[in-house]
Amino acid sequence: MSAEYATFGLAPAMRAGGVLADGGYQVHRDFVDFIVDGRPLLFQLSDLDAVSPLASDVPPAIFTAQVRSLLLEAQAPLPGGRYVIYGCPECADLACGAVTAVIDKEGGDFIWRDFAWQTEEHADLELNGYHGIGPFRFRGADYRDALGTLLDAHTEPPRRRVLLIGARVAVLAKLAAALRTIGIGAEITHDVSGVPADELRTYGAVAFGRAVSEQQRATVRRAFTAAGVEVAYVDGLAPIVPLLVAQIEHALDRSPAEQRRLTRLVVADGEAGVEVTSPCRVRLTAYRLDFLYRTHTHEVFDGVLEAGRHRIALDAKAVKGESFVVARTAGGVLVEAMAR
Protein backbone atom coordinates (compact mmCIF):
# COMPACT_ATOMS: atom_id res chain seq x y z
CA MET A 1 0.00 0.00 0.00
CA SER A 2 1.28 3.44 -0.87
CA ALA A 3 2.67 5.49 2.04
CA GLU A 4 1.49 8.72 0.39
CA TYR A 5 -0.88 10.65 2.61
CA ALA A 6 -4.24 12.11 1.69
CA THR A 7 -5.69 15.03 3.62
CA PHE A 8 -8.84 14.51 5.65
CA GLY A 9 -11.42 17.11 6.58
CA LEU A 10 -15.10 17.68 7.15
CA ALA A 11 -17.58 20.22 5.80
CA PRO A 12 -21.31 20.85 6.04
CA ALA A 13 -23.27 19.49 3.09
CA MET A 14 -26.87 19.19 2.02
CA ARG A 15 -29.08 16.77 0.18
CA ALA A 16 -31.50 19.21 -1.43
CA GLY A 17 -35.14 18.57 -0.72
CA GLY A 18 -37.88 19.79 -2.98
CA VAL A 19 -41.28 19.51 -4.56
CA LEU A 20 -40.68 17.68 -7.83
CA ALA A 21 -42.38 18.29 -11.15
CA ASP A 22 -44.17 14.93 -10.98
CA GLY A 23 -45.80 15.92 -7.69
CA GLY A 24 -43.43 13.90 -5.51
CA TYR A 25 -41.28 15.14 -2.67
CA GLN A 26 -37.58 14.82 -1.94
CA VAL A 27 -36.51 14.99 1.72
CA HIS A 28 -34.09 17.69 2.87
CA ARG A 29 -31.04 16.32 4.75
CA ASP A 30 -28.17 18.24 6.33
CA PHE A 31 -25.05 16.19 6.93
CA VAL A 32 -21.31 16.41 7.34
CA ASP A 33 -19.35 15.31 4.29
CA PHE A 34 -15.83 13.89 4.12
CA ILE A 35 -13.32 16.15 2.37
CA VAL A 36 -10.44 14.14 0.92
CA ASP A 37 -7.57 16.06 -0.65
CA GLY A 38 -9.68 19.20 -0.64
CA ARG A 39 -12.72 17.76 -2.45
CA PRO A 40 -15.92 16.12 -1.19
CA LEU A 41 -15.46 12.37 -1.39
CA LEU A 42 -19.09 12.08 -2.53
CA PHE A 43 -18.18 13.79 -5.81
CA GLN A 44 -15.84 10.92 -6.72
CA LEU A 45 -18.71 8.43 -6.59
CA SER A 46 -20.35 9.22 -9.92
CA ASP A 47 -23.84 10.73 -9.55
CA LEU A 48 -24.75 9.30 -6.18
CA ASP A 49 -27.75 10.60 -4.24
CA ALA A 50 -26.62 9.80 -0.72
CA VAL A 51 -25.65 11.24 2.66
CA SER A 52 -22.95 10.35 5.15
CA PRO A 53 -23.93 8.72 8.46
CA LEU A 54 -23.09 12.06 10.10
CA ALA A 55 -26.52 13.57 9.48
CA SER A 56 -27.80 16.40 11.64
CA ASP A 57 -31.26 14.92 12.14
CA VAL A 58 -30.20 11.67 13.79
CA PRO A 59 -30.47 11.50 17.60
CA PRO A 60 -27.37 12.84 19.41
CA ALA A 61 -26.48 9.46 20.91
CA ILE A 62 -26.53 7.80 17.49
CA PHE A 63 -24.55 10.66 15.93
CA THR A 64 -21.90 10.32 18.64
CA ALA A 65 -21.80 6.55 18.10
CA GLN A 66 -21.25 7.09 14.37
CA VAL A 67 -18.32 9.42 15.04
CA ARG A 68 -16.74 7.03 17.53
CA SER A 69 -17.23 4.19 15.07
CA LEU A 70 -15.24 6.06 12.42
CA LEU A 71 -12.54 6.58 15.07
CA LEU A 72 -12.48 2.75 15.48
CA GLU A 73 -13.64 3.06 19.08
CA ALA A 74 -16.47 0.62 18.37
CA GLN A 75 -16.85 -2.60 16.43
CA ALA A 76 -17.48 -2.32 12.70
CA PRO A 77 -21.20 -2.53 11.93
CA LEU A 78 -20.68 -4.80 8.90
CA PRO A 79 -18.64 -7.98 8.42
CA GLY A 80 -15.05 -7.66 7.28
CA GLY A 81 -14.40 -4.45 9.19
CA ARG A 82 -16.63 -2.48 6.84
CA TYR A 83 -18.23 0.87 7.66
CA VAL A 84 -20.99 2.79 5.91
CA ILE A 85 -19.54 5.92 4.29
CA TYR A 86 -22.69 7.02 2.43
CA GLY A 87 -26.24 5.70 2.60
CA CYS A 88 -29.77 6.27 1.35
CA PRO A 89 -30.96 9.81 2.15
CA GLU A 90 -34.56 8.70 2.55
CA CYS A 91 -34.34 5.72 4.90
CA ALA A 92 -30.66 4.78 5.51
CA ASP A 93 -31.56 1.12 4.83
CA LEU A 94 -28.69 -1.01 3.57
CA ALA A 95 -31.12 -2.72 1.18
CA CYS A 96 -31.40 0.57 -0.73
CA GLY A 97 -27.65 0.54 -1.23
CA ALA A 98 -24.71 2.09 0.56
CA VAL A 99 -21.09 2.93 -0.10
CA THR A 100 -18.96 1.04 2.39
CA ALA A 101 -15.25 0.78 3.04
CA VAL A 102 -12.84 -1.01 5.32
CA ILE A 103 -11.29 1.29 7.92
CA ASP A 104 -7.98 0.14 9.43
CA LYS A 105 -5.28 1.55 11.64
CA GLU A 106 -1.63 1.13 10.75
CA GLY A 107 0.73 2.62 13.26
CA GLY A 108 -0.79 6.01 13.99
CA ASP A 109 -2.48 6.30 10.59
CA PHE A 110 -6.07 5.62 9.58
CA ILE A 111 -6.65 3.91 6.22
CA TRP A 112 -9.86 3.78 4.17
CA ARG A 113 -9.75 1.05 1.52
CA ASP A 114 -11.79 -1.41 -0.55
CA PHE A 115 -14.68 0.91 -1.33
CA ALA A 116 -17.78 -0.90 -2.58
CA TRP A 117 -21.47 -0.50 -3.33
CA GLN A 118 -23.26 -2.78 -0.90
CA THR A 119 -26.90 -3.90 -0.63
CA GLU A 120 -26.42 -7.02 1.48
CA GLU A 121 -24.51 -7.97 4.60
CA HIS A 122 -21.41 -8.96 2.64
CA ALA A 123 -19.76 -6.85 -0.06
CA ASP A 124 -18.75 -8.29 -3.43
CA LEU A 125 -15.60 -6.32 -4.29
CA GLU A 126 -15.12 -7.97 -7.66
CA LEU A 127 -18.63 -7.13 -8.84
CA ASN A 128 -19.40 -3.92 -6.94
CA GLY A 129 -16.05 -2.50 -5.88
CA TYR A 130 -15.05 1.10 -6.61
CA HIS A 131 -11.72 0.09 -8.06
CA GLY A 132 -10.57 3.62 -8.90
CA ILE A 133 -11.13 5.10 -5.44
CA GLY A 134 -8.64 4.80 -2.59
CA PRO A 135 -6.98 3.51 -0.63
CA PHE A 136 -6.59 6.71 1.39
CA ARG A 137 -4.06 6.99 4.20
CA PHE A 138 -4.78 9.78 6.70
CA ARG A 139 -2.48 11.11 9.38
CA GLY A 140 -3.90 9.99 12.69
CA ALA A 141 -3.72 13.36 14.45
CA ASP A 142 -5.50 15.21 11.64
CA TYR A 143 -8.14 12.49 11.34
CA ARG A 144 -8.88 12.41 15.05
CA ASP A 145 -8.91 16.20 15.36
CA ALA A 146 -11.41 16.59 12.50
CA LEU A 147 -13.83 13.98 13.84
CA GLY A 148 -13.28 15.12 17.41
CA THR A 149 -14.78 18.53 16.63
CA LEU A 150 -18.11 16.79 16.02
CA LEU A 151 -18.14 15.59 19.62
CA ASP A 152 -17.99 19.17 20.91
CA ALA A 153 -21.25 19.79 22.77
CA HIS A 154 -21.14 23.44 21.70
CA THR A 155 -21.36 22.71 17.98
CA GLU A 156 -24.38 24.57 16.64
CA PRO A 157 -26.80 22.38 14.64
CA PRO A 158 -28.19 23.68 11.34
CA ARG A 159 -31.17 25.99 11.76
CA ARG A 160 -33.82 24.35 9.56
CA ARG A 161 -36.75 26.61 10.34
CA VAL A 162 -38.07 29.24 7.98
CA LEU A 163 -40.24 32.27 8.72
CA LEU A 164 -42.75 33.02 5.95
CA ILE A 165 -44.05 36.57 5.51
CA GLY A 166 -46.48 37.55 2.76
CA ALA A 167 -49.94 38.70 1.79
CA ARG A 168 -51.31 35.56 0.14
CA VAL A 169 -52.30 33.36 3.06
CA ALA A 170 -53.33 30.42 0.87
CA VAL A 171 -49.94 30.34 -0.86
CA LEU A 172 -48.10 30.65 2.46
CA ALA A 173 -50.10 27.77 3.94
CA LYS A 174 -49.32 25.52 0.98
CA LEU A 175 -45.66 26.54 1.12
CA ALA A 176 -45.44 25.83 4.85
CA ALA A 177 -47.03 22.41 4.34
CA ALA A 178 -44.61 21.56 1.54
CA LEU A 179 -41.59 22.63 3.59
CA ARG A 180 -42.71 20.56 6.57
CA THR A 181 -43.24 17.55 4.32
CA ILE A 182 -39.61 17.63 3.18
CA GLY A 183 -38.27 18.16 6.71
CA ILE A 184 -38.00 21.94 7.06
CA GLY A 185 -39.91 23.71 9.82
CA ALA A 186 -42.00 26.69 8.70
CA GLU A 187 -44.13 29.30 10.44
CA ILE A 188 -46.23 32.14 9.03
CA THR A 189 -46.39 35.63 10.51
CA HIS A 190 -47.05 39.25 9.57
CA ASP A 191 -45.32 40.88 12.53
CA VAL A 192 -42.14 39.84 14.36
CA SER A 193 -42.15 42.67 16.87
CA GLY A 194 -43.54 40.45 19.63
CA VAL A 195 -41.44 37.37 18.86
CA PRO A 196 -38.84 36.64 21.58
CA ALA A 197 -35.21 36.87 20.53
CA ASP A 198 -34.59 33.23 21.54
CA GLU A 199 -37.24 32.11 19.07
CA LEU A 200 -35.87 34.30 16.27
CA ARG A 201 -32.52 32.60 16.77
CA THR A 202 -34.03 29.25 15.76
CA TYR A 203 -34.67 30.39 12.18
CA GLY A 204 -32.23 29.88 9.34
CA ALA A 205 -34.11 31.89 6.70
CA VAL A 206 -36.89 34.41 6.20
CA ALA A 207 -38.93 34.32 2.98
CA PHE A 208 -40.78 37.43 1.81
CA GLY A 209 -43.69 37.41 -0.61
CA ARG A 210 -43.67 39.82 -3.51
CA ALA A 211 -46.32 42.05 -1.88
CA VAL A 212 -44.29 42.68 1.29
CA SER A 213 -43.23 46.32 1.39
CA GLU A 214 -39.66 47.52 1.84
CA GLN A 215 -40.67 49.03 5.16
CA GLN A 216 -41.94 45.65 6.41
CA ARG A 217 -38.78 43.95 5.23
CA ALA A 218 -36.59 46.49 6.99
CA THR A 219 -38.53 46.01 10.23
CA VAL A 220 -38.00 42.26 10.08
CA ARG A 221 -34.29 42.66 9.39
CA ARG A 222 -33.91 45.01 12.36
CA ALA A 223 -35.62 42.48 14.63
CA PHE A 224 -33.21 39.70 13.63
CA THR A 225 -30.22 42.04 13.94
CA ALA A 226 -31.35 43.01 17.44
CA ALA A 227 -31.62 39.29 18.29
CA GLY A 228 -28.00 38.84 17.23
CA VAL A 229 -28.66 36.24 14.57
CA GLU A 230 -27.78 36.12 10.89
CA VAL A 231 -30.39 34.59 8.62
CA ALA A 232 -30.73 34.20 4.87
CA TYR A 233 -33.39 36.45 3.33
CA VAL A 234 -35.34 35.11 0.37
CA ASP A 235 -37.28 37.40 -1.95
CA GLY A 236 -39.98 35.18 -3.38
CA LEU A 237 -39.94 35.31 -7.17
CA ALA A 238 -43.55 34.23 -7.71
CA PRO A 239 -46.45 32.56 -5.86
CA ILE A 240 -45.40 29.10 -7.10
CA VAL A 241 -44.82 26.66 -4.26
CA PRO A 242 -42.14 24.39 -5.87
CA LEU A 243 -40.24 27.49 -7.00
CA LEU A 244 -40.32 29.03 -3.52
CA VAL A 245 -39.25 25.74 -1.96
CA ALA A 246 -36.25 25.68 -4.31
CA GLN A 247 -35.34 29.26 -3.36
CA ILE A 248 -35.49 28.39 0.33
CA GLU A 249 -33.45 25.22 -0.18
CA HIS A 250 -30.73 27.29 -1.82
CA ALA A 251 -30.82 29.80 1.05
CA LEU A 252 -30.37 27.02 3.63
CA ASP A 253 -27.33 25.52 1.87
CA ARG A 254 -24.46 25.75 4.39
CA SER A 255 -21.87 23.95 2.27
CA PRO A 256 -18.77 25.98 1.35
CA ALA A 257 -19.26 27.62 -2.05
CA GLU A 258 -15.94 26.25 -3.33
CA GLN A 259 -17.08 22.68 -2.62
CA ARG A 260 -20.45 22.76 -4.34
CA ARG A 261 -21.20 20.71 -7.42
CA LEU A 262 -23.76 23.04 -9.04
CA THR A 263 -22.17 26.49 -9.19
CA ARG A 264 -23.88 28.54 -11.89
CA LEU A 265 -27.25 29.04 -13.57
CA VAL A 266 -28.03 31.77 -16.09
CA VAL A 267 -31.20 31.85 -18.20
CA ALA A 268 -31.65 34.23 -21.12
CA ASP A 269 -32.48 34.23 -24.82
CA GLY A 270 -34.14 30.82 -24.66
CA GLU A 271 -31.10 29.10 -23.15
CA ALA A 272 -29.89 27.99 -19.75
CA GLY A 273 -26.22 28.26 -18.87
CA VAL A 274 -25.24 25.65 -16.26
CA GLU A 275 -21.88 24.99 -14.62
CA VAL A 276 -20.99 21.91 -12.57
CA THR A 277 -17.67 21.00 -10.97
CA SER A 278 -17.94 17.22 -11.42
CA PRO A 279 -20.06 14.83 -13.49
CA CYS A 280 -23.61 14.67 -12.17
CA ARG A 281 -27.24 14.44 -13.08
CA VAL A 282 -28.86 17.85 -13.59
CA ARG A 283 -32.58 18.48 -13.87
CA LEU A 284 -33.95 21.75 -15.24
CA THR A 285 -37.58 22.62 -14.54
CA ALA A 286 -39.31 25.70 -15.92
CA TYR A 287 -42.23 27.38 -14.20
CA ARG A 288 -44.29 30.14 -15.75
CA LEU A 289 -47.33 32.19 -14.90
CA ASP A 290 -49.88 32.89 -17.61
CA PHE A 291 -52.00 36.04 -17.80
CA LEU A 292 -54.54 34.47 -15.42
CA TYR A 293 -51.76 33.71 -12.93
CA ARG A 294 -52.05 29.98 -13.47
CA THR A 295 -48.86 27.97 -13.02
CA HIS A 296 -47.43 25.86 -15.85
CA THR A 297 -44.61 23.40 -15.19
CA HIS A 298 -42.24 21.95 -17.79
CA GLU A 299 -39.36 19.51 -17.35
CA VAL A 300 -36.92 20.94 -19.86
CA PHE A 301 -33.79 18.83 -19.23
CA ASP A 302 -32.79 15.75 -17.27
CA GLY A 303 -29.39 14.25 -17.93
CA VAL A 304 -25.82 13.75 -16.79
CA LEU A 305 -23.45 16.64 -17.47
CA GLU A 306 -19.67 16.48 -17.41
CA ALA A 307 -17.69 18.98 -15.37
CA GLY A 308 -17.66 22.42 -16.97
CA ARG A 309 -20.05 24.93 -18.50
CA HIS A 310 -23.01 23.90 -20.63
CA ARG A 311 -25.60 25.69 -22.73
CA ILE A 312 -29.00 24.03 -22.87
CA ALA A 313 -31.76 25.14 -25.22
CA LEU A 314 -35.15 25.69 -23.59
CA ASP A 315 -38.53 25.04 -25.16
CA ALA A 316 -39.94 28.42 -26.13
CA LYS A 317 -43.38 27.50 -24.78
CA ALA A 318 -41.90 26.68 -21.38
CA VAL A 319 -40.30 30.06 -20.81
CA LYS A 320 -42.54 32.59 -22.49
CA GLY A 321 -43.92 35.45 -20.41
CA GLU A 322 -43.09 35.50 -16.69
CA SER A 323 -41.02 32.37 -16.23
CA PHE A 324 -38.38 30.88 -13.99
CA VAL A 325 -35.94 27.97 -14.16
CA VAL A 326 -34.83 25.67 -11.34
CA ALA A 327 -31.60 23.68 -11.74
CA ARG A 328 -31.27 20.75 -9.36
CA THR A 329 -28.66 18.15 -8.49
CA ALA A 330 -28.80 15.75 -5.56
CA GLY A 331 -26.77 18.15 -3.45
CA GLY A 332 -27.92 21.59 -4.47
CA VAL A 333 -30.39 23.79 -6.27
CA LEU A 334 -30.26 27.14 -8.10
CA VAL A 335 -33.12 29.36 -9.25
CA GLU A 336 -33.17 32.13 -11.85
CA ALA A 337 -35.84 34.25 -13.50
CA MET A 338 -35.84 34.28 -17.28
CA ALA A 339 -34.23 37.54 -18.39
CA ARG A 340 -36.62 39.63 -20.45
Side-chain angles (χ1 to χ4, degrees):
M1 179 179 294
S2 171
E4 184 177 351
Y5 285 99
T7 62
F8 181 86
L10 302 169
M14 178 182 78
R15 191 274 187 136
V19 180
L20 306 181
D22 61 5
Y25 291 86
Q26 185 167 287
V27 175
H28 173 103
R29 299 291 303 279
D30 291 298
F31 65 99
V32 177
D33 201 3
F34 307 110
I35 308 301
V36 177
D37 287 335
R39 292 282 290 165
L41 179 60
L42 185 59
F43 291 5
Q44 298 188 38
L45 299 169
S46 186
D47 183 48
L48 185 65
D49 182 13
V51 300
S52 82
L54 305 176
S56 65
D57 54 351
V58 301
I62 295 178
F63 185 92
T64 298
Q66 295 285 10
V67 175
R68 296 201 181 283
S69 178
L70 294 173
L71 288 167
L72 301 185
E73 296 176 5
Q75 186 175 357
L78 296 170
R82 302 194 71 82
Y83 295 77
V84 173
I85 306 300
Y86 295 106
C88 173
E90 299 286 344
C91 65
D93 192 326
L94 182 63
C96 290
V99 176
T100 67
V102 174
I103 302 181
D104 280 334
K105 283 189 72 175
E106 187 174 289
D109 300 337
F110 287 80
I111 300 166
W112 287 18
R113 61 177 175 82
D114 297 339
F115 286 82
W117 177 254
Q118 194 166 341
T119 57
E120 300 176 344
E121 187 177 11
H122 295 276
D124 186 333
L125 288 179
E126 183 174 349
L127 183 64
N128 297 315
Y130 287 99
H131 303 292
I133 297 178
F136 300 114
R137 177 185 290 268
F138 306 117
R139 297 185 188 277
D142 296 339
Y143 185 87
R144 286 190 297 270
D145 286 348
L147 288 169
T149 61
L150 300 179
L151 301 176
D152 185 348
H154 301 292
T155 300
E156 180 183 356
R159 288 177 279 131
R160 293 192 302 157
R161 294 181 70 205
V162 181
L163 194 61
L164 308 178
I165 302 174
R168 302 184 64 171
V169 177
V171 173
L172 294 179
K174 291 178 181 178
L175 175 58
L179 290 169
R180 292 166 188 154
T181 298
I182 68 173
I184 297 173
E187 284 77 39
I188 302 169
T189 190
H190 294 289
D191 182 10
V192 297
S193 59
V195 180
D198 286 346
E199 183 174 343
L200 293 179
R201 295 188 189 107
T202 66
Y203 292 101
V206 177
F208 296 114
R210 296 199 294 188
V212 178
S213 69
E214 285 302 321
Q215 182 178 354
Q216 288 176 286
R217 295 168 193 245
T219 299
V220 172
R221 290 189 175 96
R222 283 196 296 270
F224 276 92
T225 299
V229 60
E230 292 186 5
V231 297
Y233 293 101
V234 177
D235 294 320
L237 290 173
I240 302 171
V241 169
L243 179 72
L244 296 171
V245 169
Q247 285 190 266
I248 290 168
E249 279 287 304
H250 174 68
L252 292 176
D253 192 347
R254 299 169 58 247
S255 62
E258 66 275 11
Q259 290 170 357
R260 296 181 185 180
R261 179 173 263 168
L262 177 63
T263 58
R264 178 176 177 266
L265 172 65
V266 178
V267 288
D269 301 325
E271 287 187 336
V274 178
E275 183 173 5
V276 293
T277 59
S278 62
C280 61
R281 179 188 179 190
V282 176
R283 287 173 288 171
L284 298 181
T285 307
Y287 300 93
R288 70 177 181 88
L289 292 173
D290 63 21
F291 67 96
L292 294 177
Y293 270 75
R294 295 173 299 192
T295 300
H296 300 266
T297 304
H298 301 267
E299 284 279 13
V300 292
F301 179 81
D302 187 347
V304 175
L305 298 179
E306 296 298 318
R309 293 188 174 186
H310 305 267
R311 296 171 61 180
I312 300 169
L314 304 174
D315 188 330
K317 293 185 294 184
V319 293
K320 69 179 181 180
E322 188 177 12
S323 57
F324 314 88
V325 174
V326 173
R328 180 181 297 278
T329 65
V333 58
L334 293 175
V335 182
E336 286 291 335
M338 173 61 72
R340 299 183 188 179

